Amino acid sequence: MRRRRSITKEVNVVVKKKKQAFRRPTKKRRMELARELRDLVAAYDQRRSQRALDRLVRFCRLDNHFERGFIVDAFVALHGEMPKAVVQVAREMAKAKDNRPGRIGANVLYALYKGDYEKCKRVIIRRLKYDPEYVQAMVCGLCYTCPDAAAEDLPKLFRHRSHAVRLGALHGLEAIGVRHPRIAFEYLDEYKATDDEVEKFWVEHVLALNLIPKRTSFSMQRLKSWLKEGAEVTREIVEEAVSQARKHYAVGKEKMPGFYEKLKETAAKWADDSSVYVSEVGKKLKKAFKK
């Protein structure tokens, strides 16, 4: 097997963010955040001034994603008390060029309007100019919140001019695939031999995270058909995806009942397959189960 190229800068950024450690806010800290947020929104509701909005933006510049998540919930709770003010604040913050408050603004709108898929999508897509990486994450989030609507919208998402939107849809297949595995594989089929390292990363991630562990029989059957085509990059993707799924859900901390046995049985069958490409990957996976 040829040496795998290093993952591009875009994926490295994602990995680094995942590794960055933050503490969840304590009860006292949550009360402080909620109280200050309420005061700032009330001040904006009274004055509707740029100064009041700037104070809110400064307050929301949080690197701690746990605290950002809490503020989203707090904004949604306030929406019941002062809907016009909260929606206006969220809209203004979603337009902000600063990534962090802009992200919170988009998140709040996403939460407030989660019943309206098209409205959420329009607001999120508007941030492409300022923050394509975040748009990618939010398109994936839409797929999780509205998997049926997103499944119907996939043709448009995958034809979008922005690579960030297309990557977000690719990542979102992990949510859509649990409910609609056939639809998910219709789009994954287009990426099974991609030379783009970022796309390879997300294909492996989507397969390993949800499709292989939760739709095992169907996924392994489709992956076997991929292998028969013989592309080297496809063999790399399949081997890596199955290995990740095995590590996390068959022998790791998040064990799924019966998953180990299913994967082990499939690896043994692949190892004896008449296709040299299927057999090659099967033998490697079979060895992993002996360790």
Side-chain angles (χ1 to χ4, degrees):
M1 182 182 293
R2 67 180 174 82
R3 185 177 179 182
R4 290 173 62 88
R5 290 179 292 172
S6 60
I7 302 298
T8 60
K9 182 179 179 181
E10 186 174 346
V11 173
N12 283 331
V13 170
V14 174
V15 174
K16 286 179 182 178
K17 286 184 178 180
K18 286 182 179 178
K19 290 183 178 179
Q20 196 169 2
F22 290 106
R23 292 183 178 180
R24 295 180 183 275
T26 62
K27 183 177 180 180
K28 180 180 179 181
R29 174 62 174 165
R30 292 197 301 270
M31 291 175 63
E32 291 173 350
L33 290 170
R35 183 166 52 248
E36 188 165 357
L37 179 64
R38 180 186 293 274
D39 292 344
L40 289 171
V41 173
Y44 178 79
D45 192 26
Q46 291 174 1
R47 303 184 186 94
R48 296 298 173 99
S49 66
Q50 185 61 44
R51 182 178 179 183
L53 181 64
D54 290 342
R55 289 181 65 193
L56 257 168
V57 170
R58 286 196 297 273
F59 169 71
C60 292
R61 284 176 178 159
L62 301 170
D63 289 319
N64 187 332
H65 61 278
F66 291 120
E67 293 187 348
R68 286 203 307 269
F70 173 76
I71 285 183
V72 170
D73 294 336
F75 258 121
V76 175
L78 282 178
H79 182 246
E81 301 176 22
M82 45 182 82
K84 292 182 179 179
V86 174
V87 171
Q88 184 60 33
V89 166
R91 285 175 177 164
E92 293 300 321
M93 291 176 68
K95 298 175 186 177
K97 293 183 180 180
D98 183 296
N99 289 349
R100 288 169 297 178
R103 291 182 178 197
I104 292 172
N107 260 333
V108 173
L109 281 173
Y110 176 56
L112 294 178
Y113 303 139
K114 63 184 178 182
D116 190 330
Y117 173 86
E118 288 298 330
K119 185 178 287 187
C120 287
K121 188 176 77 168
R122 285 196 298 271
V123 172
I124 292 165
I125 297 298
R126 288 194 196 112
R127 286 211 57 82
L128 271 171
K129 180 179 177 181
Y130 306 121
D131 198 354
E133 182 189 333
Y134 183 60
V135 170
Q136 176 183 333
M138 288 300 288
V139 169
C140 175
L142 268 180
C143 293
Y144 266 95
T145 302
C146 314
D148 296 329
E152 294 180 3
D153 197 31
L154 285 177
K156 292 181 181 178
L157 293 174
F158 275 100
R159 287 198 305 266
H160 199 279
R161 68 184 186 280
S162 169
H163 192 220
V165 173
R166 298 195 300 273
L167 286 177
L170 178 60
H171 187 184
L173 290 177
E174 67 187 26
I176 293 172
V178 176
R179 296 169 66 95
H180 309 285
R182 293 183 184 278
I183 294 176
F185 267 99
E186 285 178 12
Y187 291 92
L188 288 172
D189 284 345
E190 300 298 318
Y191 293 89
K192 61 188 173 186
T194 179
D195 290 325
D196 186 303
E197 290 292 339
V198 177
E199 292 173 353
K200 284 172 63 178
F201 174 88
W202 288 119
V203 171
E204 292 166 356
H205 176 84
V206 166
L207 290 169
L209 185 68
N210 275 352
L211 278 169
I212 293 176
K214 295 178 182 178
R215 296 287 183 175
T216 308
S217 298
F218 181 83
S219 297
M220 298 306 281
Q221 184 179 359
R222 292 295 292 264
L223 294 180
K224 182 180 178 180
S225 69
W226 283 14
L227 292 173
K228 287 184 176 180
E229 296 180 16
E232 184 177 358
V233 67
T234 303
R235 299 201 299 275
E236 290 180 357
I237 288 174
V238 173
E239 183 183 348
E240 179 64 22
V242 176
S243 296
Q244 286 183 25
R246 170 190 168 275
K247 179 180 178 181
H248 293 296
Y249 300 107
V251 297
K253 293 181 180 179
E254 302 178 61
K255 290 183 181 179
M256 295 179 61
F259 184 56
Y260 180 94
E261 291 73 17
K262 285 183 181 179
L263 273 191
K264 184 177 181 180
E265 182 182 355
T266 302
K269 288 180 178 179
W270 281 10
D272 296 331
D273 196 86
S274 58
S275 167
V276 63
Y277 304 116
V278 176
S279 178
E280 174 192 328
V281 175
K283 287 176 181 177
K284 291 180 179 179
L285 295 173
K286 188 177 178 180
K287 287 181 181 179
F289 278 95
K290 292 181 179 179
K291 294 179 180 179

